[in-house]
Amino acid sequence: MTTNTIDWTGAWNGRLSKKDERRHDSRCGQLATHLYKEIDSNKLPFINLPYREELEKELLKHSPWLQSFEHMLLLGIGGSALGTRALQRAFYPEQDMPNHTGKHLWISDNVDAGTIEEWLTRLPAEKTVVVVISKSGGTIETIAQYFIAREWLKQHLGDTWADHIMLITDAQNGYLREEVNRLGARSMPVPDNLGGRYSVLSAVGLVPAAFLGINWKALLDGAMSVGNCLCERECGERTMQDHPAWKIASWAKTLMEEDYNILLFFTYIPAWASFGDWFAQLWAESLGKEGKGSTPLPAKGVTDQHSTQQLYLGGPRDKGCLYLTCPNQPEGMTFADDLPEKWSYLRGEKFGTLLQAETLGSRMAFGQTETPLVEIRVGETTETEAGRLIALLEIATVLTGWLLEINPLNQPHVELGKRLANARLGATGYDEESKQLEHFLGREPDIQEF
């Protein structure tokens, strides 16, 4: 059996020292109690997954229908898409390979008129299921895409078009729920108190996972194994202190206190690189409030050793690093025995040994520049381990938010941008935002050609 580990050897480099390891432990007991109360009142459902039984039943019911399609067009943005893309690239990489003839997942996560028009021109409607994801049922970018896709389905399928959609939204409220009731369309709920960036292990991420044949039960098993001990009433100060999510949160808070304002997420598992983008939203949207937080910056090994790592190692000393590795990755093809003498050390070696050498070399370089670094090492690149990683980072993010004394579950400034966009489009009920837009657009321009 493989083991997942966290290596703290380089965590306390630079302006940090080993004595900082327990800097925030005085708050541990209080936050352990708070955590249990929040879990018990169903405010943190991504930790104990109280919706799991119903989710599994619904996924099993819908799976034969999902499997009947060759293409899935997923309409969603932010947390409705980033986790799904990470799962697809990690566990269904064949979609991106030459001459792939299996299922295809197309994720429309932006306002990109050219791309969606091309997709709808090329996709066979009769072989395509459209999955629309919005917890509120009113996300303007997603709803606008739905209107376009709905018309496309009607044109190609006539009265049967609604048999090709699934709406994933709030169980009771919102426009998409109204559409479910009006059309009798298939749907699955986003559980209460489950924000988008924490929702990948719900229908949001697992419906497309089921479509692709990814082992979604293993994802759930892995996640629950990380959070289980925190869900017990007996979870106290000692349990919390020993939990890796607490240690990451305490370390991250200490980094911010010592002016390390950027947190690198350096992934040395190529197939898992998109988890960096998922983590960036999780961290930024949860913690960037009230002038607090740190900037998450995804990086991919080995690629970014030849681009941005120059800045990481030689630039301002304002970065800590979460370093994701796995010692058991594909070894790949063997180098031939007739390589030029200059590269004779590669003769007979596996191509994958290069990745392991680069992983070690980069980590040592961070150490030599005294960059605080925590290595998260997964034993295997399976769905179980991915579930464990997702849960670990979600819990650590929440605890970091509480240490910062902010709410890690809301996103007020995201909502501000949405309100201003709606006002610009002429939606009603945005009088104050309309005044702000009038002032903004009425400024004297200062424009230079280039």
Side-chain angles (χ1 to χ4, degrees), residues 167-446:
L167 308 181
I168 300 176
T169 189
D170 186 85
Q172 303 294 332
N173 302 307
Y175 173 72
L176 288 182
R177 181 52 56 186
E178 293 172 6
E179 284 288 90
V180 171
N181 296 335
R182 181 177 71 86
L183 299 168
R186 291 179 185 258
S187 72
M188 287 188 66
V190 180
D192 291 340
N193 301 316
L194 192 66
R197 59 191 178 275
Y198 296 96
S199 69
V200 60
L201 298 183
S202 70
V204 171
L206 299 190
V207 164
F211 167 74
L212 294 174
I214 294 170
N215 188 349
W216 50 267
K217 286 188 178 182
L219 287 164
L220 295 171
D221 288 341
M224 291 193 72
S225 70
V226 171
N228 272 341
C229 66
L230 300 176
C231 301
E232 305 296 331
R233 183 178 295 275
E234 302 78 38
C235 173
E237 183 172 349
R238 176 55 59 188
T239 301
M240 179 75 91
Q241 279 183 2
D242 292 338
H243 199 280
W246 167 259
K247 295 185 71 173
I248 291 173
S250 181
W251 174 73
K253 175 64 160 57
T254 305
L255 285 174
M256 297 177 212
E257 291 170 343
E258 298 298 330
D259 295 325
Y260 290 96
N261 298 314
I262 295 173
L263 182 61
L264 303 175
F265 190 84
F266 220 132
T267 306
Y268 272 84
I269 306 173
W272 286 25
S274 291
F275 278 109
D277 296 324
W278 167 81
F279 174 76
Q281 186 206 6
L282 175 69
W283 194 259
E285 201 167 83
S286 298
L287 305 182
K289 296 155 196 171
E290 302 178 20
K292 301 175 183 179
S294 61
T295 301
L297 189 57
K300 178 171 66 175
V302 175
T303 303
D304 289 324
Q305 284 180 230
H306 293 265
S307 57
T308 50
Q309 192 175 46
Q310 171 60 42
L311 173 67
Y312 306 155
L313 300 180
R317 315 315 303 157
D318 58 355
K319 303 165 192 70
C321 183
L322 286 173
Y323 201 77
L324 180 62
T325 69
C326 177
N328 300 305
Q329 299 188 63
E331 292 186 330
M333 301 172 70
T334 303
F335 290 106
D337 291 331
D338 61 350
L339 296 184
E341 188 62 30
K342 183 178 180 180
W343 289 285
S344 61
Y345 56 88
L346 292 176
R347 293 172 184 167
E349 294 288 344
K350 296 288 188 180
F351 183 71
T353 60
L354 182 59
L355 176 63
Q356 297 301 334
E358 296 279 10
T359 301
L360 177 61
S362 178
R363 182 186 173 195
M364 290 179 65
F366 275 113
Q368 290 181 13
T369 56
E370 296 192 338
T371 300
L373 180 147
V374 172
E375 181 180 5
I376 302 174
R377 187 183 302 124
V378 297
E380 295 179 293
T381 53
T382 67
E383 289 93 336
T384 302
E385 313 314 318
R388 291 177 65 83
L389 177 70
I390 289 167
L392 173 69
L393 295 174
E394 288 178 341
I395 299 168
T397 300
V398 168
L399 295 176
T400 304
W402 290 348
L403 284 171
L404 290 169
E405 298 184 340
I406 56 97
N407 180 359
L409 303 177
N410 66 359
Q411 53 281 334
H413 287 82
V414 174
E415 301 305 319
L416 173 60
K418 290 180 181 179
R419 293 197 304 272
L420 291 167
N422 283 329
R424 179 67 180 86
L425 291 167
T428 58
Y430 296 94
D431 294 344
E432 182 59 33
E433 288 80 8
S434 295
K435 293 177 183 177
Q436 294 169 6
L437 276 169
E438 183 179 356
H439 174 74
F440 182 81
L441 296 174
R443 297 174 304 166
E444 185 70 27
D446 182 2

Side-chain angles (χ1 to χ4, degrees), residues 127-203:
K127 299 178 181 179
T128 301
V129 59
V130 176
V131 175
V132 189
I133 304 176
S134 171
K135 172 70 163 70
S136 67
T139 306
I140 183 60
E141 300 88 350
T142 302
I143 295 302
Q145 290 178 336
Y146 168 59
F147 292 151
I148 297 295
R150 182 176 69 179
E151 193 61 30
W152 171 73
L153 287 171
K154 287 180 179 179
Q155 290 174 2
H156 287 82
L157 302 176
D159 293 340
T160 65
W161 74 272
D163 297 335
H164 286 245
I165 64 170
M166 173 179 276
L167 308 181
I168 300 176
T169 189
D170 186 85
Q172 303 294 332
N173 302 307
Y175 173 72
L176 288 182
R177 181 52 56 186
E178 293 172 6
E179 284 288 90
V180 171
N181 296 335
R182 181 177 71 86
L183 299 168
R186 291 179 185 258
S187 72
M188 287 188 66
V190 180
D192 291 340
N193 301 316
L194 192 66
R197 59 191 178 275
Y198 296 96
S199 69
V200 60
L201 298 183
S202 70

